[in-house]
Amino acid sequence: MNLAPRQSRPGEVRGDHKVVASLVPEGARVLDIGSEDGALLDLLARERRIDGRGIELSQAGVNRCVARGLSVIQGDADKDLSDYPDRAFDVVILSQTLQATREPKEVMSELLRIGKRVIVSIPNFAHWRNRMQLLFRGRMPVTKYLPYEWYDTPNIHFCSLRDFVELCHELDAEVVKAVALSAHGNEIPVNAPWWVWNIVAEQAVFLLKR
Amino acid sequence: MSADTPSPETSEDVKANEAIAPSSKLAHFPADEPLELDSGVKLGPWQIAYETYGELNADKSNAIVICHALTGDQYVASTNPVTGKPGWWELMVGPGRPVDTDHYFVICANVLGGCLGTTGPATMNPQTGVPYGLDLPVITIRDMVRAQARLVDYLGIDTLFAVMGGSMGGMQVLQWAVSYPERVFAAVPIAAAARHTSQNIAFHEVGRQAIMADPNWRQGTYIQEGVRPTKGLAVARMAAHVTYMSDESLHQKFGRNLQDRDNLTFGFDADFQIESYLRHQGMTFVDRFDANSYLYVTRAMDYFDLADQFDGALPLAFAGTNTRFCVMSFTSDWLFPTSESRQVVKALNAAAANVSFVEIESDRGHDSFLLDVPEMFETIRGFLTGAARARGVPAPGGEA
């Protein structure tokens, strides 16, 4: 499920993937939800020697992943996570997918059940560019990063970074680390309070545990 | 000998010879090395006929067992001596093929209960001096896999790199992974299921009743009585063949086209092309397969229920498995539909197993796994290469 449209050039590693990879321990048992074409799993297999599995919504994506030697099944984060046993994985990754789930809170709770650590990357709906579009144009934001019109978007549950952190509190999940990323997928190096990140970060990657 | 059997002398003779002394490789186990069957019977002496392709590497880490479907045989990638036709999976197995015999050592055995050299109902019963017929104990899929495991022992191989197969072959793959998890590095069950459904059993019963209703069947003693239940076996094959295809593929191939005529005859000749096609399928099948084997092997599939071996809990079957699975189904397969494969995947997930699942778009029904389906080949090639990399087996493409 590629909701983040910013396709990287061949050989180029996506910014959020780089951050995710830095948070995954060597040799970990990893479940990647929303594997797209397998770029992240492939990166983790090469750089972190993980024992990786994936779930991907589109069958075409799954078939591409398996043909490149990755272990991926067709599945839906909203429905299929309940199949997995408690703490089955060292790390569960949900990359740019939470906003497209029907029950984000349920999904988050399942992630925290089956993974000892959970990595979630989300687009920040409260990014200043989105705020500007709503404030000055009075229109739902459509950006390079969120390219869908309000009526045909797969994204149904947007949140801001602060909303997400609030959800983590509700679910008793501890934010072990958070990395804010700019529009270009680069880490924002400032050690700023949440309210700043909530404006300047276009996306963020969270490492959680319960 | 029934008059409607084409070229009866030669084909029956060849078939009888192949059932007892196959032209393929053969492992014979004497009476003091019996095979213990699920029915409780110790079967001995017994034998298993097999073919191999490619070379076993020095550390014996590149062996792939291929399990054949219901009426298949050990000639997966070489000429079948009865039919003279190419191997049944030559598109999949061979030099440069997805199962690349330049890199992998492929073993394919005729199943227990079969009729091409492995002990089956056509084998001579040493107690009576005549073919077993119905005196052969009922065989299960697990028995078939036990026999293959004995063959793998006999070949001096400890762990298989992979076990793969379609349909009944896929059932054997699942059973392999459950019976011998430590001996199966990777498993590829294609167009298969963890159990034979009620509908599947129903179709098999139609076939068996057709065979047993043939007056030439004679309670299974037809070989010693010098007759063959060819009509019953042909009908069984015709019914089964329909289940292997999809409505779409039948429609594309035949529609309602008439055979060698312009008008309906208002009789019961084969007016339609599909009718004469099915009759042809039935006729050629009796030439190469044994009716009693058909009874035994269909029964084995009917009895198959992996969960049943674990108090109905399929995930328990896979608990703690380290095998890498690649489950594959086809969109138009209504005999072993995707939903059955998904049950297997669900159970594997519940065991936190390493699993890939691919549903291939194909309008050609259950038989798709035997046909030229590029996406299937590409997936198998990729999966095996990934597994080879994980196991440190040199894979096609050069990387270890």
Side-chain angles (χ1 to χ4, degrees):
Chain A
M1 182 153 36
N2 189 4
L3 303 175
R6 292 147 20 86
Q7 291 295 342
S8 45
R9 284 178 222 105
E12 190 195 346
V13 178
R14 243 172 63 182
D16 57 329
H17 286 180
K18 264 187 223 163
V19 174
V20 170
S22 74
L23 298 173
V24 173
E26 189 85 11
R29 195 172 158 109
V30 175
L31 178 65
D32 175 34
I33 298 158
S35 302
E36 305 172 15
D37 63 353
L40 178 59
L41 275 176
D42 211 29
L43 176 73
L44 293 174
R46 278 186 282 112
E47 294 198 350
R48 288 279 180 260
R49 311 207 167 275
I50 59 150
D51 176 8
R53 330 279 158 83
I55 301 178
E56 164 58 32
L57 193 60
S58 91
Q59 190 63 59
V62 174
N63 296 10
R64 275 201 301 276
C65 288
V66 179
R68 66 196 272 189
L70 303 167
S71 300
V72 177
I73 63 167
Q74 197 275 332
D76 181 342
D78 270 305
K79 284 188 249 162
D80 299 330
L81 296 178
S82 60
D83 294 345
Y84 293 90
D86 296 357
R87 304 178 84 71
F89 294 92
D90 299 315
V91 181
V92 178
I93 301 168
L94 186 73
S95 173
Q96 303 288 344
T97 301
L98 188 67
Q99 73 280 3
T101 60
R102 271 187 303 279
E103 302 277 355
K105 190 174 174 185
E106 274 302 304
V107 169
M108 282 301 298
S109 158
E110 287 289 59
L111 298 179
L112 290 160
R113 179 183 66 78
I114 60 183
K116 293 170 194 159
R117 290 281 191 284
V118 173
I119 298 173
V120 181
S121 77
I122 54 164
N124 176 25
F125 199 66
H127 182 251
W128 66 269
R129 230 186 288 268
N130 297 343
R131 295 181 190 217
M132 290 302 134
Q133 287 202 22
L134 199 54
L135 186 63
F136 291 113
R137 293 179 62 214
R139 301 278 309 269
M140 287 299 281
V142 177
T143 63
K144 188 170 144 202
Y145 198 59
L146 303 170
Y148 305 98
E149 293 289 349
W150 61 272
Y151 48 79
D152 71 349
T153 175
N155 301 320
I156 51 183
H157 282 121
F158 273 123
C159 62
S160 70
L161 299 190
R162 294 186 89 163
D163 289 327
F164 181 77
V165 170
E166 188 51 43
L167 177 65
C168 292
H169 287 320
E170 264 187 59
L171 290 165
D172 274 337
E174 180 192 331
V175 178
V176 179
K177 193 170 181 192
V179 179
L181 300 175
S182 73
H184 303 291
N186 300 321
E187 270 188 55
I188 298 172
V190 288
N191 199 356
W194 276 118
W195 70 265
V196 176
W197 278 22
N198 207 29
I199 295 172
V200 299
E202 192 133 21
Q203 52 178 329
V205 180
F206 293 86
L207 174 65
L208 311 170
K209 72 166 184 182
R210 191 185 248 168
Chain B
M1 193 73 54
S2 164
D4 61 358
T5 309
S7 57
E9 293 303 323
T10 49
S11 66
E12 284 301 348
D13 289 349
V14 172
K15 199 167 81 178
N17 285 338
E18 288 296 330
I20 294 159
S23 42
S24 67
K25 294 169 178 150
L26 182 70
H28 182 84
F29 298 86
D32 61 352
E33 293 176 34
L35 188 67
E36 292 188 28
L37 304 178
D38 276 349
S39 63
V41 176
K42 288 184 178 175
L43 182 68
W46 65 284
Q47 64 182 38
I48 185 164
Y50 66 101
E51 278 293 348
T52 64
Y53 309 86
E55 301 285 333
L56 187 61
N57 62 11
D59 57 358
K60 301 183 177 182
S61 63
N62 68 336
I64 297 181
V65 162
I66 294 192
C67 305
H68 69 69
L70 178 63
T71 65
D73 52 57
Q74 64 271 45
Y75 303 101
V76 57
S78 51
T79 307
N80 177 309
V82 176
T83 63
K85 287 187 178 157
W88 55 271
W89 224 8
E90 287 206 350
L91 291 170
M92 182 70 86
V93 180
R97 300 289 184 186
V99 181
D100 190 341
T101 51
D102 286 339
H103 290 84
Y104 306 121
F105 176 63
V106 169
I107 307 161
C108 184
N110 186 215
V111 292
L112 196 64
C115 53
L116 275 183
T118 299
T119 298
T123 306
M124 205 64 74
N125 180 348
Q127 313 280 311
T128 61
V130 294
Y132 273 110
L134 296 196
D135 288 339
L136 187 77
V138 163
I139 304 292
T140 65
I141 297 288
R142 185 152 64 169
D143 294 333
M144 293 174 177
V145 168
R146 276 195 191 106
Q148 289 167 17
R150 292 282 295 274
L151 171 64
V152 171
D153 291 340
Y154 168 91
L155 294 172
I157 298 165
D158 184 34
T159 306
L160 296 168
F161 169 58
V163 181
M164 53 190 293
S167 193
M168 184 182 85
M171 291 177 164
Q172 295 165 60
V173 170
L174 292 170
Q175 186 67 61
W176 255 107
V178 168
S179 291
Y180 309 99
E182 72 291 348
R183 300 187 72 176
V184 180
F185 186 78
V188 189
I190 305 171
R195 59 179 183 163
H196 217 216
T197 64
S198 179
Q199 187 188 45
N200 297 149
I201 297 169
F203 280 117
H204 276 173
E205 179 60 2
V206 170
R208 284 191 296 264
Q209 288 302 324
I211 290 167
M212 294 192 276
D214 188 318
N216 279 351
W217 180 62
R218 315 245 174 125
Q219 304 303 311
T221 63
Y222 52 85
I223 295 179
Q224 51 268 45
E225 298 192 24
V227 290
R228 297 278 166 171
T230 49
K231 287 181 176 160
L233 182 58
V235 171
R237 179 59 170 185
M238 289 166 74
H241 199 82
V242 177
T243 71
Y244 301 151
M245 302 177 72
S246 67
D247 187 29
E248 176 73 18
S249 61
L250 285 173
H251 179 74
Q252 277 177 8
K253 209 164 170 180
F254 308 107
R256 289 182 53 85
N257 298 338
L258 301 183
Q259 178 76 29
D260 302 330
R261 65 201 64 183
D262 297 324
N263 300 299
L264 298 176
T265 61
F266 293 94
F268 297 100
D269 277 353
D271 278 2
F272 295 102
Q273 281 179 7
I274 178 63
E275 293 172 319
S276 73
Y277 170 77
L278 279 182
R279 290 181 188 192
H280 172 77
Q281 288 294 329
M283 298 267 279
T284 52
F285 181 62
V286 300
D287 244 6
R288 71 174 178 91
F289 211 79
D290 175 61
N292 282 339
S293 265
Y294 198 84
L295 302 181
Y296 275 87
V297 180
T298 56
R299 205 64 183 143
M301 288 180 81
D302 292 353
Y303 278 7
F304 186 65
D305 183 353
L306 258 187
D308 206 35
Q309 301 167 26
F310 295 85
D311 292 329
L314 192 56
L316 289 183
F318 301 115
T321 185
N322 285 318
T323 301
R324 300 163 72 96
F325 289 84
C326 180
V327 179
M328 190 181 282
S329 70
F330 298 93
T331 47
S332 57
D333 183 351
W334 54 276
L335 195 61
F336 288 82
T338 291
S339 56
E340 292 289 324
S341 282
R342 273 194 193 285
Q343 289 298 321
V344 174
V345 172
K346 214 172 148 71
L348 285 164
N349 284 343
N354 189 323
V355 53
S356 298
F357 169 57
V358 172
E359 182 186 33
I360 306 273
E361 187 96 31
S362 164
D363 60 12
R364 294 158 91 181
H366 181 62
D367 262 355
S368 296
F369 77 94
L370 296 168
L371 303 174
D372 186 6
V373 181
E375 205 175 355
M376 165 175 72
F377 299 137
E378 196 186 327
T379 307
I380 301 274
R381 193 189 292 274
F383 173 76
L384 289 178
T385 303
R389 209 182 292 133
R391 200 189 184 197
V393 174
E399 30 175 346

